[in-house]
């Protein structure tokens, strides 16, 4: 009998805006925003700096997460667009993907309100550190490839589609660990750790890590621990987490944006040489048993235990591609249909080259061309797809152990 999949550490309420380039064009004109001031790293202190940041990411097709000074900025900006209210956070979105294919999960949450209660799938059990209802929405912006926003001194056009996240979320910034998390972990086959990227206080982070490590002592030695980087608001804090958790992390995951942030340089994702060098450098910095990097062209695990995770990568790539083409309404039939989609030839070439050069396994992404792709939550869904392979692996390991005992 397979154990639980426990996913954490925090969930969110997301405001997914419907992209409208005409609204952004009007805002650029209203605020007098020019191309020369488009940067992605300036503090977001008002609506103008939020618009500047959105346009800066759009100009180079990038994605990422950023802190805003106040949730009022998010509310005011979102009110200019059509908005869908959904649930987010890596653990929650991964759990939603698993729910769609019939796999229940246990969710560790740090905030709760009636929106969360209404939207959480019935298959999810909740362990929560929240002591009262709160709502601190995350703004989710997904822009399509080729969209153009006119500025007073020119225009910016997105070279690719991507997604942005903006938030001021006190419960996730504080990341209190539930007292009964250890009890939930005692029956877990896998534990997803993510969300520390939103914290900004080093001393508080160290305290939360103490609490988490204490809870993780309840984990079976055979339980898989998957850590998703998710892009730190304060990059210096990432090292604190690694130093405390790396000796218990089995799989350390990140996307291409986070890879390039760690390396401090762009990576040509379709160059076998550049990717192999980048993965070697990243693994030297983060020497996990398996370092997983997932991109729109390929997903590759490097490290001494990478070979254990080929099935997880295959499941993850297929699940993310299915979300890309059909959104939240993913079914087992949709997953089966995605399996028939062709693989990206450039991604396949990169995977083959990397597998020849280092201890690594990889899977090329599916080529999916749809008029209205979903770019929100692809990394989270990737993680859910990866973990979907864990119950089957756990059952196989249990059966193997039983055979050895007889």
């Amino acid at each position: 009998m397979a154990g639980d999949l426990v996913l954490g550490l925090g969930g969110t309420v997301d405001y997914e805006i419907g992209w409208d380039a005409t609204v952004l064009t009007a805002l650029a004109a209203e605020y007098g925003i020019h191309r020369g001031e488009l940067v992605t790293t300036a503090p977001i202190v008002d609506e103008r700096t939020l618009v500047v940041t959105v346009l800066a990411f759009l100009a180079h097709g990038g994605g990422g997460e950023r802190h805003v000074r106040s949730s009022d900025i998010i509310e005011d900006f979102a009110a200019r667009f059509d908005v869908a209210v959904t649930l987010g956070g890596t653990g929650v979105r991964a759990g939603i993907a698993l729910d769609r294919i019939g796999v229940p999960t246990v969710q560790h949450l740090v905030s709760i309100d009636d929106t969360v209660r209404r939207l959480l799938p019935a298959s999810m059990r909740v362990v929560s550190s929240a002591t009262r209802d709160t709502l601190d929405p995350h703004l989710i912006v997904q822009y399509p490839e080729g969209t153009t926003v006119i500025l007073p001194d020119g225009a910016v056009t997105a070279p690719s589609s991507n997604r942005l996240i903006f938030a001021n979320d006190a419960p996730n910034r504080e990341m209190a660990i539930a007292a009964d998390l250890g009890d939930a972990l005692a029956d877990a086959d896998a534990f997803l750790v993510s969300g520390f990227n939103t914290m900004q206080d080093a001393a508080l982070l160290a305290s939360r890590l103490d609490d988490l490590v204490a809870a993780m002592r309840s984990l079976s030695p055979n339980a898989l621990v998957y850590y998703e980087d998710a892009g730190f608001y304060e990059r210096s804090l990432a090292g604190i987490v690694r130093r405390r958790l790396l000796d218990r992390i089995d799989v350390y995951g990140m996307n291409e944006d986070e890879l390039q942030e760690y390396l401090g340089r762009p990576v040509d994702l379709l160059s076998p040489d550049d990717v192999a060098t980048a993965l070697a450098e990243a693994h030297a910095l983060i020497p996990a048993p398996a370092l997983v990097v997932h991109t729109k062209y390929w997903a590759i695990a490097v490290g001494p235990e990478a070979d254990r995770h080929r099935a997880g990568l295959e499941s993850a790539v297929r699940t993310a591609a299915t979300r890309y083409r059909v959104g939240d309404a993913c079914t087992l039939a949709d997953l089966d249909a995605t399996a028939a989609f062709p693989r990206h030839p450039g991604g396949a070439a990169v995977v083959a080259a990397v597998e020849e050069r280092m201890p690594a396994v990889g899977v090329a992404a599916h080529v999916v061309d749809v008029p209205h792709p979903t770019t929100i939550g692809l990394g989270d869904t990737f993680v859910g797809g990866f973990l979907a392979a864990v119950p089957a692996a756990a059952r196989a390991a249990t059966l193997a152990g039983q055979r050895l005992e007889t």
Side-chain angles (χ1 to χ4, degrees), residues 84-119:
V85 180
T86 62
L87 298 183
T90 297
V92 172
R93 284 202 186 277
I96 290 172
L98 288 161
D99 172 79
R100 298 295 187 265
I101 58 175
V103 179
T105 58
V106 179
Q107 291 288 332
H108 179 281
L109 301 179
V110 297
S111 59
I112 194 81
D113 79 324
D114 285 342
T115 304
V116 176
R117 295 185 185 97
R118 174 171 55 87
L119 295 179

